[in-house]
Amino acid sequence: VASAIKELFVRLYVAIAESDGHAVFSPAVKTTALILVVGAWMVRRDNPIYLLSFATFKAPDEWKCSHDDIMEMMKRQKCFNEESLGFMQRILDRSGTGPATAWPPGIVRCLKDENTKADRSIAASRKEAETVIFDVVGQALKKANVKPREIDVLVINCSLFSPTPSLCAMVVSHFGLRSDVETYNLSGMGCSASLISIDLAKKLLSRKGLRKALVVSTEIITPNLYHGNDRGFLIQNTLFRCGGAAMVLSNNWLDGRRAWYKLLHTVRVQGSGETAYECVYETEDKNGERGVRLSKDIVKVAGKTMEKNFTMLGPQVLPLSEQALVVWSIIVRFVLRQISKTLISYGAEDTAAKLPSVKPYVPDFKRCIDHFCIHAGGRAVIDGIEKNLNLKEYHTEPSRMTLYHYGNTSSSSIWYELEYIQEQQQTNPLKKGDRIMQVAFGSGFKCTSGVWIKV
């Protein structure tokens, strides 16, 4: 195909340069025009997706709570027994979160006096959503120098709060987006949803013309404070915090000169089976109290989905030398299994048992990725991925610092991490041409990943 296209352009050039009759343009002008046509064709084939800007929510001081404040809020709900309070205190102490993470006003209000309970109403929830979303959208549009009416696609993900009218309608109304803007409201996808939203926006921008998309990722804490004593539900009360992020995307190659990053790859993997489906599950406990139950199998399920995700992502980003080692590992393991089966079939079990055991080769993603934004789901999540991928401390520093300063902000956490890399990290400074990988996990069970390049 490439040879045929090359031959076509050569013939076209010869026909223009050596045409008989009156020459309207000089050969130099004709050559320049041909180069521009070829360049435009190549640019259109690229289908670039640029990140023009992003912004994260910084909570006001009156939203911020220490560990002692959090435990006092839990006590003042007057619904937790001593065993549950002790369990939440231990989880909080080991969580990796810092002394000033954000809780919404509807819950913080109970610190005023012992008789004031948390306000989990729709009105309080909507107020939290407006405060977070309006702030990040305004910031992102300003940073990108994009007017609200220039937005063609709007995608908002919020897992546990999906009011009517939708959060998309709320943004369209407040900022005055065009009446023909395409809006998509995603819910129930947990902490993995931001990259799912980015992937959706990428597909929508690839449809037709030069367009811009606005993506918003957040989680609303107000209506989701669990008021029971089932341990499977209590973890959500100590780990999740207020947060949000907004991103402005463009598929116009002319925006590349002012963009912050270019999207290279997105991969999403959906687990299957009852164990994966129920390891993050919204339901009621035996007393009818609603909450999100986290299964003990979540670490194992997350590991399997991440392995599948990286298996799909690897061929797109890993150098050939790493891919060759992976293939060689698979071949050796297969051959050894076949030899073992053959020996056992002939009654040589002792000989089969002496065959060497070859572990699967884990490719070195550090050879193709410069920075890692690992979802700040908790200290154990970060520790596990650091160990499995053989990362250095400076690779997981953005995730640990995000967890410490902001807690688990659900789907938006990967953007706090990218912001840390971009503005604060000294141990591994961001440079033009660096590649950044974002990895997140969510209910269902899902693992999503995205790779960006700094432009």
Side-chain angles (χ1 to χ4, degrees), residues 133-208:
I133 294 174
F134 292 169
D135 177 78
V136 294
V137 168
Q139 286 188 67
L141 292 174
K142 183 178 180 180
K143 290 179 180 180
N145 194 25
V146 170
K147 296 178 181 178
R149 297 189 68 81
E150 294 180 56
I151 298 298
D152 302 285
V153 175
L154 171 63
V155 183
I156 297 181
N157 66 266
C158 181
S159 191
L160 293 172
F161 181 61
S162 186
T164 300
S166 69
L167 297 177
C168 283
M170 183 181 79
V171 170
V172 170
S173 175
H174 182 80
F175 288 93
L177 273 63
R178 299 196 317 268
S179 59
D180 63 341
V181 64
E182 299 178 37
T183 61
Y184 299 85
N185 210 95
L186 308 183
S187 63
M189 292 187 165
C191 305
S192 65
S194 188
L195 287 171
I196 293 175
S197 298
I198 292 291
D199 184 63
L200 174 60
K202 178 183 75 172
K203 289 179 170 63
L204 294 170
L205 290 177
S206 300
R207 279 185 185 174
K208 56 181 179 180

Side-chain angles (χ1 to χ4, degrees), residues 122-356:
I122 291 291
S125 303
R126 199 183 297 274
K127 182 64 177 177
E128 180 191 346
E130 291 174 349
T131 303
V132 174
I133 294 174
F134 292 169
D135 177 78
V136 294
V137 168
Q139 286 188 67
L141 292 174
K142 183 178 180 180
K143 290 179 180 180
N145 194 25
V146 170
K147 296 178 181 178
R149 297 189 68 81
E150 294 180 56
I151 298 298
D152 302 285
V153 175
L154 171 63
V155 183
I156 297 181
N157 66 266
C158 181
S159 191
L160 293 172
F161 181 61
S162 186
T164 300
S166 69
L167 297 177
C168 283
M170 183 181 79
V171 170
V172 170
S173 175
H174 182 80
F175 288 93
L177 273 63
R178 299 196 317 268
S179 59
D180 63 341
V181 64
E182 299 178 37
T183 61
Y184 299 85
N185 210 95
L186 308 183
S187 63
M189 292 187 165
C191 305
S192 65
S194 188
L195 287 171
I196 293 175
S197 298
I198 292 291
D199 184 63
L200 174 60
K202 178 183 75 172
K203 289 179 170 63
L204 294 170
L205 290 177
S206 300
R207 279 185 185 174
K208 56 181 179 180
L210 304 177
R211 309 203 298 169
K212 291 182 175 64
L214 173 64
V215 176
V216 181
S217 299
T218 189
E219 191 56 77
I220 304 306
I221 306 298
T222 299
N224 296 301
L225 185 66
Y226 172 64
H227 276 61
N229 289 285
D230 189 315
R231 285 196 175 189
F233 295 80
L234 287 171
I235 296 175
Q236 72 175 83
N237 285 0
T238 58
L239 193 58
F240 292 98
R241 302 290 190 274
C242 292
M247 294 66 71
V248 179
L249 304 172
S250 171
N251 68 345
N252 189 342
W253 63 274
L254 292 175
D255 285 331
R257 54 191 172 83
R258 66 188 182 101
W260 293 5
Y261 303 91
K262 180 181 178 181
L263 182 62
L264 299 181
H265 311 285
T266 53
V267 175
R268 54 184 292 188
V269 169
Q270 173 77 51
S272 59
E274 185 175 344
T275 301
Y277 178 66
E278 294 186 353
C279 67
V280 181
Y281 199 79
E282 183 180 16
T283 184
E284 295 91 10
D285 65 12
K286 61 184 179 181
N287 296 317
E289 291 291 343
R290 184 179 63 86
V292 176
R293 184 183 65 217
L294 301 182
S295 166
K296 295 179 180 179
D297 296 319
I298 190 169
V299 175
K300 181 170 65 176
V301 171
K304 288 182 177 179
T305 53
M306 187 180 75
E307 181 180 348
K308 292 179 181 178
N309 187 291
F310 281 19
T311 299
M312 296 172 63
L313 179 65
Q316 302 179 57
V317 298
L318 287 171
L320 290 176
S321 58
E322 284 296 309
Q323 295 187 50
L325 290 172
V326 173
V327 173
W328 175 250
S329 171
I330 294 172
I331 293 173
V332 170
R333 285 167 57 82
F334 174 78
V335 170
L336 289 173
R337 280 199 303 269
Q338 296 304 312
I339 293 174
S340 177
K341 288 180 181 178
T342 302
L343 290 172
I344 292 173
S345 67
Y346 283 99
E349 289 85 356
D350 293 341
T351 305
K354 295 178 182 179
L355 290 174

Side-chain angles (χ1 to χ4, degrees), residues 260-262 264 368-372 418 421 425 428-437 451-455:
W260 293 5
Y261 303 91
K262 180 181 178 181
L264 299 181
C368 57
I369 302 296
D370 303 289
H371 306 271
F372 294 82
L418 182 56
I421 292 171
Q425 189 169 19
N428 188 24
L430 181 66
K431 304 180 295 295
K432 184 176 181 179
D434 279 0
R435 296 191 178 200
I436 304 99
M437 178 194 287
V451 178
W452 305 81
I453 187 170
K454 174 64 177 174
V455 296

